[in-house]
Amino acid sequence: MPGNEPVLTAAQMRAVEQVLIAQGVSVDELMRRAGEGAAEWVWRMAAGGPVTVLCGPGNNGGDGYVIAQTLCARGLSVRVIAPMEPTTDAARNARARWTGDVMTDADGAGGRVLVDCLFGSGLSRPLLPEHASLVAELAARHQRIVAVDLPSGVATDDGALLGDVARCDLTLALGAWKPAHFLMPALSVVGTAKLVTIGALPDEFGALFVKSAPRLSVPERGAHKYSRGFMGIVGGEMAGAAQLASKAAVYSGAGYVKLFADEAPPNAPSALVIESGDLAQALGDKRLSALLIGPGLGRSDAARDKLAITLEANVATVIDADALHLLDDDLLEGIDATRLLITPHEGELNSLCETFGIAEETKRGKAEYLAARTGMTVLAKGPDTLLATPDAPTMFFPPAATWLASAGTGDVLSGIVASRLSTGKNSLDAASEAIWLHAEAARVAGPALIADDLAAAVPKAYARLL
Ligand SMILES: NC(=O)C1=CN([C@@H]2O[C@H](COP(=O)(O)OP(=O)(O)OC[C@H]3O[C@@H](n4cnc5c(N)ncnc54)[C@H](O)[C@@H]3O)[C@@H](O)[C@H]2O)[C@@H](O)CC1
Ligand SMILES: [K+]
């Protein structure tokens, strides 16, 4: 199983380039490796059809000339369009080695694959209107679009779109992943993302990374329900959400799941134990190894009281949904927040940032500052999922099926996270295992899934990650 892979900002990538150059590898050689590696993917996608390579002025454009020459040498019909002259030595050298013509406009262009090498990690401002319309015109005249390093118009470090960006089928990350390969809104134009390596990266540039699939384990021989993990879910006003979280939790590794609620949800699994009565007393059970509060909790005074009691229990706790709207400094006073794991979606993250006085613009900034400010682990879910803690590098995750944009899937995720926590995993491992289980369960459940299917699919997902 591949290990975690580093995710580098534009500045870090430039620093890596300098280290590799200092080790004796020339920029031209790096460009050759990048271009030839990328050409391999374009070759497959072209399937013998004509290819157009759009080259910009920098080294992204330089990669384009290498790709064009490599494909031409393999017998493909290749047209190069360059609206600007090369401005770097490496790009000029690559262009000098290109044996075909160079056009400056889209006249007569069309075919199977458009290769976008207009701008990569050096993009510093929005595309000029004439460049944006050239990309759009070419995109409309080709069946497939491959972006080299990044779709032109995507900001490398935060995934912002600097204007209209053509939606690509495939994006080839060169040398290392960049944050934009994992962040919205860039994710909506990146398509499938693949990494093209250009040599071993120096170790010191791993500030962020993408988390590889975990290897889950089976219960130990001699395990019993309490030793595997005893988790509690604090129920509230809406039974459905707690039911989804409970169902996901019983399937995700815990040996014993108890729902603290006045009555059983209508379709609760028989394996779920319901306990009504005094919450503080129930949470005093020393065998509890994790708690979940939030799905279906409500936002009343009674709900706030339940949250206060839950936080006092001094157990590893997942806080989600309604509970995230109740959480504040008063509730966290005197609480060891390092055992708390929150799972906000975008709206909940914004509301938390407001509560805790965090004025960051980006999702990554919000998650990282929230973790640093409160000490909690932040699993910022959504079409792009991030995991931030006060003391470890932020983790990105491969994007999951878009069918997950459906009511109740967040409740399923929080149930899985708490279940993993109850098995004794630390917050980071529990959260990343849960993110992978959730994504894998979505693959198992398939198109048009609903949250109930997702929870039911967790055992098959678990089996795939053993
Ligand atoms: N860093 C590395 O280790 C490697 C980088 N390579 C390639 O190099 C790329 C980065 O190269 P560069 O730094 O030259 O950057 P780019 O090729 O992305 O473009 C930068 C150039 O475009 C200009 N520019 C930026 N935004 C513009 C805009 N909106 N309109 C008009 N001009 C604009 C800049 O002034 C500069 O001249 C990577 O994306 C990758 O494709 C590869 O060749 C292999 C190795
Ligand atoms: K590009």
Side-chain angles (χ1 to χ4, degrees):
M1 197 152 301
N4 300 330
E5 288 167 346
V7 178
L8 304 187
T9 62
Q12 287 172 327
M13 195 65 222
R14 280 194 293 276
V16 164
E17 191 179 31
Q18 290 312 310
V19 172
L20 294 176
I21 289 168
Q23 289 172 355
V25 190
S26 67
V27 182
D28 299 68
E29 170 60 15
L30 291 175
M31 191 175 276
R32 186 193 64 76
R33 293 177 190 172
E36 289 182 3
E40 205 52 53
W41 285 100
V42 179
W43 167 261
R44 285 185 218 172
M45 195 169 259
V51 173
T52 302
V53 186
L54 177 61
C55 296
N59 286 351
N60 196 249
D63 298 337
Y65 295 109
V66 176
I67 293 167
Q69 188 58 34
T70 308
L71 294 176
C72 188
R74 287 172 77 167
L76 284 194
S77 158
V78 182
R79 173 189 291 258
V80 170
I81 301 176
M84 290 157 283
E85 290 296 309
T87 55
T88 68
D89 287 344
R92 272 189 283 269
N93 294 341
R95 171 146 167 182
R97 282 190 287 270
W98 162 239
T99 48
D101 294 336
V102 178
M103 319 284 174
T104 53
D105 56 36
D107 284 352
R112 169 85 182 151
V113 182
L114 171 66
V115 185
D116 166 12
C117 293
L118 197 53
F119 301 108
S121 58
L123 183 81
S124 53
R125 52 194 185 275
L127 262 59
L128 293 169
E130 60 264 35
H131 293 154
S133 56
L134 176 62
V135 177
E137 192 180 349
L138 287 171
R141 293 200 206 163
H142 292 79
Q143 292 167 19
R144 296 274 186 274
I145 307 176
V146 178
V148 170
D149 211 9
L150 294 155
S152 296
V154 164
T156 312
D157 294 352
D158 63 8
L161 302 184
L162 308 183
D164 291 339
V165 179
R167 204 191 177 100
C168 299
D169 299 283
L170 174 67
T171 292
L172 302 168
L174 298 187
W177 298 109
K178 319 291 166 356
H181 295 123
F182 302 100
L183 290 171
M184 287 296 286
L187 261 187
S188 61
V189 296
V190 156
T192 302
K194 296 288 177 191
L195 180 65
V196 172
T197 53
I198 57 167
L201 299 179
D203 285 342
E204 63 264 37
F205 296 99
L208 307 162
F209 59 95
V210 57
K211 195 79 180 81
S212 59
R215 193 71 180 264
L216 302 181
S217 55
V218 301
E220 283 176 17
R221 195 155 307 285
H224 54 77
K225 63 188 177 196
Y226 291 113
S227 70
R228 282 186 55 195
F230 175 23
M231 74 165 271
I233 300 179
V234 179
E237 293 163 13
M238 284 83 68
Q243 177 179 318
L244 280 171
S246 308
K247 187 170 172 185
V250 295
Y251 285 141
S252 300
Y256 188 174
V257 182
K258 203 179 242 192
L259 174 64
F260 301 106
D262 293 335
E263 53 197 51
N267 298 307
S270 310
L272 182 70
V273 177
I274 314 292
E275 183 170 327
S276 56
D278 183 68
L279 183 63
Q281 197 177 348
L283 297 190
D285 188 331
K286 294 288 174 238
R287 295 168 302 185
L288 278 166
S289 49
L291 293 172
L292 166 63
I293 183 164
L297 180 67
R299 301 183 196 177
S300 62
D301 288 347
R304 189 180 165 86
D305 290 345
K306 284 187 179 181
L307 179 56
I309 292 167
T310 305
L311 293 173
E312 296 285 337
N314 203 24
V315 177
T317 299
V318 177
I319 305 172
D320 186 30
D322 285 336
L324 296 173
H325 290 276
L326 298 168
L327 202 63
D328 58 19
D329 276 322
D330 286 346
L331 279 169
L332 289 180
E333 171 100 41
I335 301 293
D336 170 16
T338 57
R339 60 179 173 74
L340 304 181
L341 199 164
I342 59 174
T343 53
H345 59 48
E346 188 185 356
E348 290 156 352
L349 185 63
N350 290 339
S351 144
L352 283 160
C353 285
E354 208 167 295
T355 305
F356 290 98
I358 290 159
E360 285 295 305
E361 289 289 316
T362 64
K363 177 168 181 169
R364 186 179 142 208
K366 288 172 190 173
E368 288 178 351
Y369 274 77
L370 192 57
R373 159 81 165 75
T374 62
M376 300 185 291
T377 296
V378 182
L379 188 174
K381 67 194 177 196
D384 47 356
T385 296
L386 290 181
L387 189 52
T389 56
D391 48 15
T394 294
M395 293 177 200
F396 296 91
F397 291 83
T402 51
W403 293 109
L404 283 170
S406 162
T409 54
D411 303 321
V412 170
L413 178 66
S414 60
I416 303 175
V417 180
S419 189
R420 300 311 301 155
L421 260 188
S422 79
T423 67
K425 293 292 161 78
N426 65 38
S427 295
L428 274 185
D429 288 344
S432 62
E433 287 178 3
I435 293 164
W436 272 93
L437 271 169
H438 194 246
E440 199 61 45
R443 266 189 284 272
V444 172
L449 62 82
I450 60 169
D452 307 63
D453 302 332
L454 188 66
V458 173
K460 281 205 176 113
Y462 201 115
R464 291 184 181 186
L465 294 173
L466 277 174

